[in-house]
Amino acid sequence: MRGRALQVPELPPISAACTDIPAEEPLRILSPDGATAYLQRSDAPAGHQGIPLTARAGQGVGRLYWYQDGLLVAAGAPGERLFVTPEAGTHRLVVVDDAGRSSTVTYRVEKPGA
């Protein structure tokens, strides 16, 4: 999927004049966790090392779009099992719901012995 991903610029803040955003619990990334260092194992295939993409989304959210380092890496309904393949380095992950709300986390993936 990465070969078809589109580069996305920084998302602008929501305008104060926007009145269509419901007042409810904000969208929040639960996984990956910015306080956890993830390990990219050399003894297992990359396709078997997915980091779960989970977020707390409000009522009525139909779809979540996940962007890592500006590239769309996954999309699906809240609660759908989605994963991102770990790549060594520090990554910025943004999730956007179908109402335009977003949440961001920066997380780190390390290689063994690095």
Side-chain angles (χ1 to χ4, degrees):
M1 179 168 188
R2 191 166 184 93
R4 297 186 317 213
L6 299 174
Q7 186 71 27
V8 176
E10 183 82 19
L11 295 173
I14 295 174
S15 169
C18 183
T19 59
D20 291 337
I21 303 297
E24 59 181 48
E25 196 170 333
L27 179 63
R28 189 174 76 122
I29 294 174
L30 303 175
S31 174
D33 177 18
T36 300
Y38 295 87
L39 183 63
Q40 183 182 30
R41 296 177 45 187
S42 58
D43 62 342
H48 293 241
Q49 298 185 54
I51 297 171
L53 299 174
T54 56
R56 183 185 63 217
Q59 293 286 338
V61 172
R63 199 148 179 86
L64 298 174
Y65 302 89
W66 297 87
Y67 299 88
Q68 180 168 284
D69 303 328
L71 299 175
L72 179 65
V73 294
E80 187 175 336
R81 295 174 50 101
L82 299 172
F83 297 88
V84 64
T85 302
E87 296 177 19
T90 300
H91 303 284
R92 183 172 178 270
L93 187 73
V94 178
V95 64
V96 181
D97 68 17
D98 48 12
R101 295 171 290 233
S102 66
S103 178
T104 304
V105 68
T106 300
Y107 73 99
R108 189 173 75 255
V109 176
E110 299 175 348
K111 280 188 167 185

